Amino acid sequence: TEIYPLSLHDALPISWAVRFDPAWGGPAEEIFDDLTDWTEHAEEGIRHYSGAATYAINFGLPALPAGRRIYLDLGELRNLAEVELNETPLGVVWTTPFRVEVTGLLRERENRLRVKVVNLWPNRLIGDQQLPPEARRTKTNITKFEKPENQRLLPSGLFGPVRVLVER
């Protein structure tokens, strides 16, 4: 099956509202103008965040070709994601290609996309080691992360590009 990007829509709109869980150190909501790795973010609560964060955008599309299968391709992400389009759950993607079929679900004017991304625990463990014990959010007997300055954070989040693809 050959797939190609929908003309004029190589990537969906750039600004995403991203909701984190404040109980795990993230902000309640942050606007991402670019889809980037959480570990490169200026805010400490995002850089060391571990858990689930939900990306949300609303977007419109031109008329789509009839009789063809249509896909939503999330590009790159870490580590897995649950996808919902127009209140329709589309399942979980956990390996490349991070893609779901959306045939019959896209609207010309208003589409509501939600992508719940879940990363791994080490970033929170590394971040907590830099905090006084009473401020830490995690407790573990894992000693692998004792020297946070020597630890490399694991890439996390939705990196994109997020595209609508139409089967030829």
Side-chain angles (χ1 to χ4, degrees):
T1 300
E2 191 171 343
I3 310 281
Y4 66 95
L6 193 65
S7 62
L8 304 177
H9 288 277
D10 285 344
L12 292 179
I14 294 173
S15 291
W16 295 73
V18 185
R19 294 183 159 274
F20 294 88
D21 184 348
W24 287 102
E29 184 173 284
E30 182 81 11
I31 300 299
F32 278 42
D33 290 327
D34 295 303
L35 291 175
T36 58
D37 187 343
W38 298 345
T39 66
E40 296 173 2
H41 201 279
E43 186 170 326
E44 196 74 20
I46 295 174
R47 192 168 43 254
H48 290 111
Y49 186 80
S50 290
T54 302
Y55 291 74
I57 59 167
N58 294 324
F59 65 97
L61 289 173
L64 298 170
R68 295 187 187 169
R69 294 171 72 173
I70 301 171
Y71 300 88
L72 180 70
D73 187 294
L74 300 175
E76 290 296 320
L77 63 89
R78 295 293 181 281
N79 284 82
L80 62 87
E82 183 176 26
V83 185
E84 178 185 291
L85 179 64
N86 297 326
E87 285 76 43
T88 301
L90 299 173
V92 174
V93 292
W94 55 276
T95 186
T96 59
F98 296 105
R99 183 179 297 162
V100 294
E101 185 171 355
V102 295
T103 304
L105 296 175
L106 286 168
R107 305 174 192 144
E108 278 188 46
R109 288 198 168 83
E110 187 72 22
N111 293 283
R112 179 181 163 130
L113 175 62
R114 302 289 173 264
V115 180
K116 184 177 186 179
V117 175
V118 180
N119 71 338
L120 300 175
W121 199 28
N123 293 352
R124 179 73 269 152
L125 293 173
I126 293 166
D128 276 1
Q129 291 301 312
Q130 299 175 44
L131 299 172
E134 65 276 3
R136 295 178 183 169
R137 291 174 174 82
T138 59
K139 292 183 178 22
T140 181
N141 60 357
I142 296 173
T143 58
K144 178 179 179 178
F145 303 109
E146 284 185 27
K147 296 181 181 179
E149 65 276 2
N150 296 334
Q151 298 299 320
R152 196 166 146 240
L153 297 173
L154 300 177
S156 299
L158 177 60
F159 315 131
V162 177
R163 303 174 299 159
V164 173
L165 305 175
V166 178
E167 185 177 57
R168 269 186 209 239

